[in-house]
Amino acid sequence: MTPSTTVRSPLRLYGRDDELATLESLLEQLWRGGGGGLVLAAPPGLGRTALLRAAADAHRDRGPVLYATAASTGRSVPGGGPVELLGPSPTAGLSPAAPYPVITPEALARRLREPGTGHPLLVCADDAHTWDPASRSALACAARGLGPGSRTAVLLSVADGTAFAGLPTLHLAPLDEGAASALLDRLTGGTALGTVPGTPPGAAPGTALGAALGATPGAAPGATLGTAVGTASGAAHGAAPGTEGIDPVVRAELLREAAGNPRLLAGLTGRLTPDQLAGRTPLPCPLPGGEAVLAAHAERLDGLPDRTRTLLLLAAAAQEHEPDGAGADALLLLRAGTRCGLPREFLDRALLGATATDGLLQRAGSRVHFAHRLVSRAVLHHAPWPHRRAAHELLATLLAETGDRASPGASSPPPPDAPSTAPPPVPLAALVQRACAAPGPDAALAARLEAAAGAPFPHAERSAALARAALLSTEPALRAARLAAAAEQAGLAGDPALARALLARTGPRPPGTAGPAPEPARGLAPYVHGMLALRSGPAADAHEALLAAAALLGPHDPRRTLDALLGAAEAAWAAGDPLGYLDAMNRLARTPLEAGLEHYRAGMCAVLEGRTAEGHALLRHCLDPAGDPGAPAALLRAGVAALVLGDVAAACRAGARALAAVRTRGPDALLPQALEHLAYAELRAGRHAGARAHALEGLHAARRTGQPNSSAHLHAVLALAASVEGPAEACAAHADAALTGAGPHGLSQAVTLATWARARADLASGRPGEAAARLAPLVGTGPGRGHFAARMLAVPCWVEAAVLGGRQPEESRELHAAVDEFASWAARTADPGAPAQLARCRALLAPADEADARYAEALAHHGRAGGDFERARTQLMYGQWLRRRRRTREARGPLRDALVAFQCCSARAWADRAAGELRAAGEPAGAPRNAADGPLAALTPQQLRIARCVAEGATNREVALRLSLSPRTVDHHLRNVFAALGIRSRTELARLLAA
């Protein structure tokens, strides 16, 4: 150890607000005359040294600092740690290898108090885990004895907390994505950082220490602080020269590779060229620049026994054929360890208890994981190549012997004419292990890997195998094709970030490459780009990219051509582009299609072209897909066909079957779509609780698989469900999230559904004017027209909102035109609720002498169609109409039925609205008032409703429109409210109700 009382200049930290606040708390305790100890525990590269130096810099003006860093003397000489920390030893004549005199914990504590006489002392020991055991024990005991009045604090940094058990320990986690991204901006020149000279009084915890590090006082946690490790932790901080912006795909790959380790992120970024950072040239594979961090991780391995290092190498090698984060198979490690001659007792302790591996391995079920992700890479990086190759070859042999998840067709009998001496197929995992053992490119092994990477292996395993095959490829064009195929499989596995990283490595074809690129390879990368954009980019971009990919793939790859055209049609549908949809579907006619898909294509085209009867006849053939009954794509198309037909029951059945098929067979990337389709079908069927549950699950799946477009659609579904069940805040939050995600990507369908949801929530809350204003552009014919497949669904809400908002039916031609268009749609659809909603619209617009019969017609249709929520809405409107005609006794029946139905549907806001109407009709509803209600108990139900509307800021005319009263009646009741409550202004009324 080398003593130091000089601390280097502080560096800005990213993502360490909580850690900075903890350090400031320790320093404040020290400055008040107290003392104590704290251990910062973290693997190499996470910034514990930077935090230690930051604390020393913050304390420098308050008192002395003893700062010791790791040095060879302190590691090798017993007892050297405390002596090196405290300064020159009296026994200076000892040889460098001689042990220092033993310092007891009591003596060390006494010596630590001496420099702090009159001033608080901060003792910092970096890498204290490298001290010899006696010195660590003495330091730990001394730190435990530092309490009130000691005026000494000990701050230690260690690789793990076991060396100083019993002391308060703060474990540093890897940076989250936001902090790591901010650090990457700093490293590439994307963010200019400044310093703050002082900290205002009363600042929040962590701001004083943050100010010493150049943080902005008052900034939100995590916004300006975090870990930017510099020379204190061995990382570079200067911005990469010549960078004008980092490519999003390169950013994602760097963040993924660094795994939240700031020192590693700095190392990786510093080794890339400006063209590589900007995405103009492919990234190298593997990424350089992590050698220093991996070497620091590997230092811990040097002191482990040989058998422990052997098992760690086997565990790291066994993860190479597994998807990222899956760990290693414990049984495979047990067999491999036994084959290497490791004792069974040791293997049991290591794989079950992890004590034999110094905590580096952890067991989770049948899988074994490294405690830190970088440790496995450090093990492989540190091991000599002959040892690594032997480990991979052993694992390949064991996997081949057991046929672990054998390759496709391995379980089927060989053909009759196959020679009896033909070798059995090698499992995919064994081939990957053999590829890891290959010293260089191997075209034959790469071809075998590519051929084996098919069904029934999971998509993630196929992606790993194809990426390994690309590394072994000798031809650039073939390498690019295999990387694109690996990206396709990664996307299907629900890992779009990995897919984009693999695509980025394909790059442009090097000039001078001999021979033309294979035709299928030319279209594969654009195809994968388009499929990724379909789930996470602008819909118009995805449409055009997939059409271009289909043109390239058409003559050579019929399956992907079909998927590309279907994807282009899906993108056009989401964007509300019927002509683009028809273009993509008509191009499908040029490719051979199975009968069910041809019926779907022709039926959808016929419906959009106005040949409704013909289209419906064709689509009915799609409701029960032929061929593979469990094919998820066919079942999803069946659900779409059912919704176009209006057969919501069939749509729910198809959606449930599609979800079961995706859960059973995959791919994972299709799970959000399956849940979205089912949730939307359940909404149309009035099953709001089920729709909400499935949409929430779909939202989690979309976030996990990186599909923001699906998230926008699912937020819209959740907004629609919340517009029924409430609360209004949830509806608004989901609708805003849907609009935020859908707007930039041109997702017209999600925008239409989210806007409709907000309007329906406005209706439930008694704000028909706002609802009408939201819906008018959607159902109109102007530029803000809603999605072609969803706008008709919003017409009944718009008619209701417009009438309740005060628009006179005879003065509004737009209302009658919209209802006529809705009637045409209702005549074509099989939706059982459409006739009832049409009759309700006509009742709202009908003269008084016709409205009664129209409402009766609507209720009769509801009786045949079912659907509690829409029937309750019609009953509510009917009861409100009757009460407005002063037929209060007749109004109570439908209003009572509406209240009960809304309660059964858990439609709380709608139930409150029905209860208010029922009370206005003279029948008590809801919870009885009692003395606890205070002065409001003196109000009648009608007065209470008016008071609440006025307290929300509504004028008398607006209250009259909302409650179907005359302004004169509202004024009369409001005067009585003021008199009953003893108030004289609307402001007093609002305050009283708020209290």
Side-chain angles (χ1 to χ4, degrees):
M1 296 287 172
T2 56
S4 173
T5 56
T6 303
V7 182
R8 303 188 184 197
S9 299
L11 296 168
R12 180 179 292 275
L13 303 182
Y14 289 85
R16 296 298 184 208
D17 289 37
D18 293 340
E19 291 82 356
L20 290 172
T22 301
L23 291 180
E24 183 168 337
S25 177
L26 176 67
L27 292 179
E28 289 177 348
Q29 181 180 343
L30 173 63
W31 297 337
R32 290 194 298 265
L38 179 66
V39 179
L40 299 178
L46 288 187
R48 48 187 165 88
T49 297
L51 286 168
L52 219 64
R53 291 186 179 277
D57 185 79
H59 179 72
R60 183 169 46 192
D61 296 334
R62 301 293 190 102
V65 176
L66 295 180
Y67 197 103
T69 58
S72 58
T73 304
R75 296 186 190 183
S76 58
V77 180
V83 176
E84 291 292 333
L85 178 66
L86 297 173
S89 171
T91 57
L94 292 175
S95 65
Y100 286 96
V102 176
I103 296 182
T104 64
E106 294 79 9
L108 179 59
R110 188 168 55 254
R111 294 282 301 276
L112 290 178
R113 292 191 183 98
E114 292 173 359
T117 304
H119 297 282
L121 170 67
L122 178 63
V123 179
C124 299
D126 199 7
D127 290 336
H129 59 280
T130 62
W131 289 18
D132 64 279
S135 298
R136 291 200 305 264
S137 177
L139 182 59
C141 291
R144 293 190 194 100
L146 298 175
S150 64
R151 299 177 65 80
T152 303
V154 175
L155 189 58
L156 312 175
S157 86
V158 297
D160 63 79
T162 58
F164 293 90
L167 286 176
T169 302
L170 180 62
H171 292 274
L172 305 186
L175 298 185
D176 61 29
E177 185 175 354
S181 186
L183 173 59
L184 184 56
D185 284 336
R186 162 71 181 271
L187 295 170
T188 57
T191 301
L193 301 177
T195 58
V196 178
T199 305
T207 52
L209 189 55
L213 300 172
T216 302
T224 58
L225 294 178
T227 304
V229 284
T231 54
S233 57
H237 277 279
T243 56
E244 67 268 10
I246 185 169
D247 180 75
V249 175
V250 176
R251 172 188 292 275
E253 176 66 358
L254 287 171
L255 295 177
R256 179 190 187 93
E257 189 73 12
N261 189 298
R263 184 179 173 189
L264 179 57
L265 181 60
L268 297 172
T269 306
R271 294 287 294 275
L272 296 181
T273 68
D275 283 343
Q276 288 169 337
L277 287 171
R280 289 189 290 267
T281 57
L283 294 176
C285 184
L287 288 173
E291 296 80 8
V293 175
L294 296 181
H297 276 276
E299 287 180 1
R300 186 176 177 185
L301 306 175
D302 293 335
L304 298 176
D306 290 342
R307 61 184 183 181
T308 302
R309 292 203 303 270
T310 299
L311 181 60
L312 292 174
L313 177 58
L314 289 172
Q319 291 188 131
E320 290 292 282
H321 68 268
E322 301 280 4
D324 189 26
D329 183 9
L331 180 59
L332 176 62
L333 288 182
L334 181 62
R335 291 165 48 219
T338 303
R339 189 72 62 92
C340 287
L342 300 181
R344 179 59 183 263
E345 179 184 356
F346 163 76
L347 291 173
D348 289 341
R349 286 189 297 111
L351 298 178
L352 296 177
T355 56
T357 60
D358 202 23
L360 294 175
L361 290 181
Q362 297 175 348
R363 177 79 176 268
S366 63
R367 314 295 297 179
V368 174
H369 300 263
F370 279 87
H372 299 284
R373 177 181 172 185
L374 293 179
V375 175
S376 64
R377 290 160 58 183
V379 169
L380 294 174
H381 182 267
H382 187 62
W385 168 245
H387 295 181
R388 285 183 57 186
R389 182 172 186 176
H392 288 302
E393 289 177 343
L394 172 61
L395 292 170
T397 300
L398 293 174
L399 290 167
E401 288 175 355
T402 58
D404 182 54
R405 286 209 292 265
S407 59
S411 59
S412 59
D417 56 347
S420 59
T421 58
V426 180
L428 182 62
L431 287 174
V432 173
Q433 287 295 333
R434 289 184 182 177
C436 293
D442 188 330
L445 183 55
R448 294 181 66 189
L449 267 174
E450 183 179 27
F457 296 113
H459 294 286
E461 293 185 22
R462 294 191 227 175
S463 176
L466 288 166
R468 187 69 61 175
L471 292 177
L472 296 177
S473 302
T474 56
E475 299 179 14
L478 198 54
R479 182 186 304 116
R482 287 167 176 164
L483 284 171
E488 177 188 19
Q489 296 300 319
L492 291 171
D495 194 345
L498 176 59
R500 291 188 179 92
L502 291 167
L503 283 176
R505 290 189 179 133
T506 60
R509 196 156 182 248
T513 304
E519 290 294 337
R522 292 178 55 231
L524 183 54
Y527 165 77
V528 180
H529 274 297
M531 296 304 286
L532 292 173
L534 178 62
R535 304 301 175 205
S536 59
D541 292 356
H543 175 74
E544 295 300 331
L546 289 169
L547 288 181
L552 291 172
L553 293 168
H556 314 282
D557 194 336
R559 181 189 65 80
R560 288 192 178 100
T561 301
L562 173 65
D563 290 342
L565 291 174
L566 288 172
E570 182 181 347
W573 184 281
D577 179 10
L579 296 179
Y581 184 88
L582 286 171
D583 179 30
M585 295 298 271
N586 285 328
R587 295 191 192 197
L588 273 176
R590 307 169 194 168
T591 62
L593 302 176
E594 54 93 14
L597 184 53
E598 174 56 27
H599 286 145
Y600 178 80
R601 184 204 67 78
M604 294 296 288
C605 289
V607 169
L608 288 185
E609 290 170 352
R611 295 175 284 115
T612 308
E614 177 187 348
H616 284 185
L618 290 167
L619 290 176
R620 288 190 182 92
H621 293 290
C622 306
L623 298 183
D624 190 10
D628 186 353
L635 290 169
L636 288 175
R637 288 194 295 270
V640 172
L643 287 175
V644 172
L645 288 169
D647 191 344
V648 292
C652 290
R653 289 194 300 271
R657 291 176 61 194
L659 177 59
V662 172
R663 291 192 198 279
T664 304
R665 303 169 54 171
D668 290 344
L670 208 55
L671 183 59
Q673 282 72 53
L675 288 162
E676 175 200 336
H677 283 225
L678 177 56
Y680 184 65
E682 288 175 324
L683 272 183
R684 292 282 301 276
R687 306 173 190 174
H688 303 100
R692 174 171 45 82
H694 284 124
L696 281 174
E697 183 185 354
L699 186 60
H700 294 315
R703 289 170 176 168
R704 175 175 54 83
T705 56
Q707 302 186 45
N709 287 357
S710 296
S711 295
H713 285 103
L714 287 158
H715 273 300
V717 172
L718 286 167
L720 282 168
S723 71
V724 174
E725 298 181 328
E729 295 78 11
C731 177
H734 284 299
D736 289 345
L739 294 172
T740 300
H745 288 180
L747 306 177
S748 172
Q749 184 175 18
V751 169
T752 299
L753 296 179
T755 305
W756 177 26
R758 288 293 298 266
R760 196 156 69 175
D762 288 337
L763 275 175
S765 301
R767 298 189 297 271
E770 295 180 30
R774 294 184 195 277
L775 291 174
L778 291 186
V779 301
T781 58
R785 179 174 178 158
H787 190 274
F788 61 85
R791 56 184 291 270
M792 281 294 100
L793 301 175
V795 167
C797 279
W798 180 56
V799 173
E800 176 183 344
V803 172
L804 293 181
R807 295 181 66 175
Q808 298 301 319
E810 62 273 10
E811 298 175 354
S812 180
R813 297 179 180 177
E814 295 89 348
L815 287 173
H816 288 280
V819 171
D820 290 342
E821 187 179 3
F822 184 81
S824 176
W825 174 81
R828 299 192 303 268
T829 183
D831 189 337
Q837 292 178 322
L838 174 61
R840 185 173 71 207
C841 290
R842 286 174 170 165
L844 286 166
L845 298 177
D849 57 343
E850 297 181 13
D852 212 337
R854 293 292 189 183
Y855 279 118
E857 178 188 355
L859 290 173
H861 283 302
H862 281 305
R864 292 187 291 270
D868 292 341
F869 176 70
E870 288 299 331
R871 180 174 64 246
R873 287 185 64 185
T874 300
Q875 291 167 334
L876 172 62
M877 294 302 303
Y878 184 37
Q880 186 172 336
W881 180 83
L882 288 171
R883 187 182 66 79
R884 193 173 183 178
R885 295 293 180 273
R886 303 188 183 280
R887 297 162 60 181
T888 54
R889 187 179 299 275
E890 297 177 66
R892 295 170 189 167
L895 291 174
R896 192 184 303 115
D897 293 341
L899 174 61
V900 172
F902 285 139
Q903 290 172 340
C904 291
C905 296
S906 299
R908 290 178 287 274
W910 292 92
D912 290 343
R913 182 179 160 192
E917 288 289 342
L918 192 57
R919 286 192 295 268
E923 180 172 318
R929 294 190 303 272
N930 52 47
D933 293 328
L936 299 182
L939 303 181
T940 67
Q942 187 72 292
Q943 290 172 345
L944 186 59
R945 296 178 71 212
I946 292 173
R948 285 173 174 161
C949 292
V950 170
E952 292 175 359
T955 65
N956 285 8
R957 178 172 177 79
E958 290 170 341
V959 175
L961 289 173
R962 188 181 300 184
L963 302 182
S964 300
L965 302 171
S966 69
R968 184 186 298 275
T969 301
V970 172
D971 181 70
H972 170 75
H973 282 300
L974 191 57
R975 291 176 184 274
N976 291 335
V977 168
F978 285 1
L981 299 179
I983 59 177
R984 292 186 291 181
S985 70
R986 293 170 179 261
T987 303
E988 291 182 76
L989 177 61
R991 289 173 181 169
L992 181 62
L993 288 178

